[in-house]
Amino acid sequence: MLRRKFLLCAALFLFLFYGTAVPLWAQEAATTGIDLNAEAAVLMEAHGGKVLWAKNPDKELPMASVTKIMTLLLAVEAVEQGKASLEERVVASENAWEMGGSQIYLEPGEEFSLKEMLIAVAVGSANDASVAVAEHLMGSEEAFVEAMNRRVQEMGLKHTRFANCTGLPAKGHYTSAYDMAVILREALKYPLFRQLSSIYEYDLRGGKFKLWNTNKLLKWYQGVDAGKTGWTTEAKYCLASSAERDGLRLIAVVLGVPEPRGHFRESIKLYNYGFARYRAVNLLPAGAVVASLPVEKGVPPEVEVVTAERVAVVVPRGEERGFTTTYELPPRLKAPLAQHQAVGYCVVQKGGQEVHRVPLLAGREVKRASFLQQVNRVLNRVYGPGR
């Protein structure tokens, strides 16, 4: 009887702690043997967002200036959506001037283009420039922070909350390694973000003020082209970065590294692991034309269908063969259509199982034909052109 009770208790214990509810990536992370001092870390492949390695991925931690990835994301989206221009002037307020920590020493009333302010944020980690950008885009830092948190909710992230746009210590300001990897993955979709965060040095104020990128992996590790560092006494050393080699893009996030430059060494360990063990199978480039569909009552009467992004899957080395693509598309579309409107999916399969899907988009705008244009088309079909 005692033996039976012991076995039942043991079985219950194993179920609770090692049962099927444990995510696959967590099981993998427990057996990889990577030794990191970071409080939390994630290695993610950027193509599909799969986590390849993790340590405490959902632990809520301060992230210091890594915060500015979200600040830059909102600014880049505003430019992409036509709500802001890189050439427009940004005027520093007294509130921006009062920011401490890393800064470009803005004076109240001093002006820079939005592009130069964003370079100061991305390269110099300037807190004063971050606040100036936030106030310029949303009217106040408080309104900008509300937009940051709304964006987090839209992305479905559960372990991130922003209290400011700089990363300066504040109550209720935290993220997780997984959440920050997702935020960086979203930012990487914008070429402007990659352009800004890949700048290693920049001359401001006509060469009187030199900016050096705090992300030293831009020079120290082949393929690194984006990211943001962070440090405070509370957050310790943090880094969210991305590297690409042979078509494989990885995202590495390390939070709470205790020793100086440790966030670089820890990230390199993650990259070495990822590039050694995984490969990208690139099936179609971004913007590839996969079909041409008729558009009912459309001008023009048909439209090319293109891939929204590169169609690729990341697999362990040696498992690169056997992938196929199919297209989920209707036989025809209806006008009007906006350029880049989603119209279907490219589905990647292996062994009859779906492993990835990428949206398919209308390659151009298609307007609805006027009444006279529709009548003329009917007459042409009946009598032929020129009658």
Side-chain angles (χ1 to χ4, degrees):
M1 180 65 71
L2 288 174
R3 176 180 173 83
R4 182 178 299 174
K5 288 183 177 179
F6 173 80
L7 290 175
L8 287 172
C9 289
L12 180 60
F13 176 87
L14 290 171
F15 176 79
L16 290 174
F17 287 88
Y18 300 102
T20 55
V22 178
L24 178 60
W25 53 259
Q27 296 173 31
E28 293 172 347
T31 60
T32 55
I34 301 179
D35 183 21
L36 295 187
N37 292 325
E39 289 188 52
V42 158
L43 177 68
M44 176 183 288
E45 56 90 1
H47 304 284
K50 178 183 177 182
V51 174
L52 305 179
W53 195 93
K55 175 183 178 181
N56 298 327
D58 295 327
K59 186 175 183 179
E60 295 174 354
L61 295 166
M63 67 293 209
S65 284
V66 175
T67 298
K68 295 183 176 80
I69 291 176
M70 178 59 91
T71 302
L72 289 166
L73 173 58
L74 292 192
V76 166
E77 287 180 334
V79 173
E80 182 74 16
Q81 295 164 7
K83 298 177 181 178
S85 164
L86 291 175
E87 290 72 38
E88 62 192 38
R89 308 300 291 177
V90 178
V91 182
S93 67
E94 188 168 340
N95 183 42
W97 167 69
E98 290 177 341
M99 289 296 109
S102 302
Q103 55 188 303
I104 56 172
Y105 303 98
L106 289 171
E107 292 291 334
E110 189 175 8
E111 291 186 19
F112 286 101
S113 68
L114 177 59
K115 182 177 181 179
E116 285 198 308
M117 284 288 194
L118 293 178
I119 290 173
V121 175
V123 179
S125 195
N127 295 323
D128 47 2
S130 297
V131 173
V133 168
E135 293 175 336
H136 178 77
L137 293 177
M138 300 286 181
S140 69
E141 184 184 5
E142 292 77 13
F144 191 86
V145 172
E146 288 179 4
M148 294 169 76
N149 287 318
R150 282 197 304 272
R151 193 71 176 86
V152 166
Q153 292 175 352
E154 291 169 2
M155 297 167 73
L157 304 179
K158 306 298 184 184
H159 301 286
T160 297
R161 184 182 178 278
F162 296 107
N164 56 52
C165 65
T166 60
L168 289 169
K171 183 179 180 180
H173 189 92
Y174 56 83
T175 192
S176 69
Y178 174 80
D179 282 10
M180 188 50 64
V182 173
I183 293 170
L184 178 53
R185 180 174 179 247
E186 187 69 19
L188 287 167
K189 295 178 181 179
Y190 297 95
L192 177 58
F193 173 83
R194 296 198 302 272
Q195 176 191 339
L196 293 169
S197 63
S198 66
I199 297 171
Y200 193 72
E201 60 179 280
Y202 188 82
D203 291 325
L204 205 60
R205 298 188 176 98
K208 296 178 181 178
F209 194 92
K210 173 76 83 173
L211 295 175
W212 297 95
N213 202 311
T214 54
N215 180 14
K216 302 308 176 187
L217 290 190
L218 291 170
K219 293 291 186 181
W220 293 356
Y221 196 85
Q222 179 189 349
V224 170
D225 60 1
K228 187 71 194 71
T229 62
W231 179 85
T232 61
T233 301
E234 179 188 29
K236 303 177 186 176
Y237 293 90
C238 307
L239 174 62
S241 62
S242 181
E244 186 172 21
R245 290 183 183 177
D246 299 322
L248 172 60
R249 177 170 289 280
L250 300 177
I251 293 169
V253 178
V254 292
L255 302 176
V257 181
E259 70 276 4
R261 296 193 174 184
H263 49 328
F264 300 131
R265 290 191 293 270
E266 306 271 84
S267 297
I268 288 173
K269 288 181 183 179
L270 290 173
Y271 285 132
N272 286 343
Y273 171 90
F275 287 123
R277 295 191 177 214
Y278 294 89
R279 290 181 62 87
V281 179
N282 297 299
L283 301 166
L284 289 168
V289 178
V290 300
S292 183
L293 293 180
V295 182
E296 185 178 326
K297 299 180 181 179
V299 179
E302 60 181 30
V303 65
E304 291 183 336
V305 176
V306 301
T307 53
E309 59 192 56
R310 181 167 55 181
V311 181
V313 292
V314 175
V315 297
R317 286 180 179 266
E319 299 181 15
E320 299 93 341
R321 297 174 182 259
F323 291 95
T324 60
T325 56
T326 57
Y327 307 123
E328 292 182 355
L329 289 167
R332 61 178 57 245
L333 302 169
K334 290 185 178 181
L337 290 171
Q339 184 177 20
H340 297 157
Q341 180 176 327
V343 295
Y345 289 96
C346 174
V347 180
V348 181
Q349 294 181 320
K350 185 173 184 178
Q353 298 294 317
E354 179 179 329
V355 295
H356 187 47
R357 62 172 50 213
V358 170
L360 296 174
L361 312 178
R364 57 167 295 173
E365 179 185 14
V366 180
K367 296 181 179 180
R368 184 180 177 86
S370 68
F371 176 75
L372 289 177
Q373 287 173 318
Q374 293 180 47
V375 169
N376 189 50
R377 284 183 183 175
V378 172
L379 292 175
N380 284 336
R381 283 197 295 268
V382 174
Y383 299 107
R387 295 288 183 94

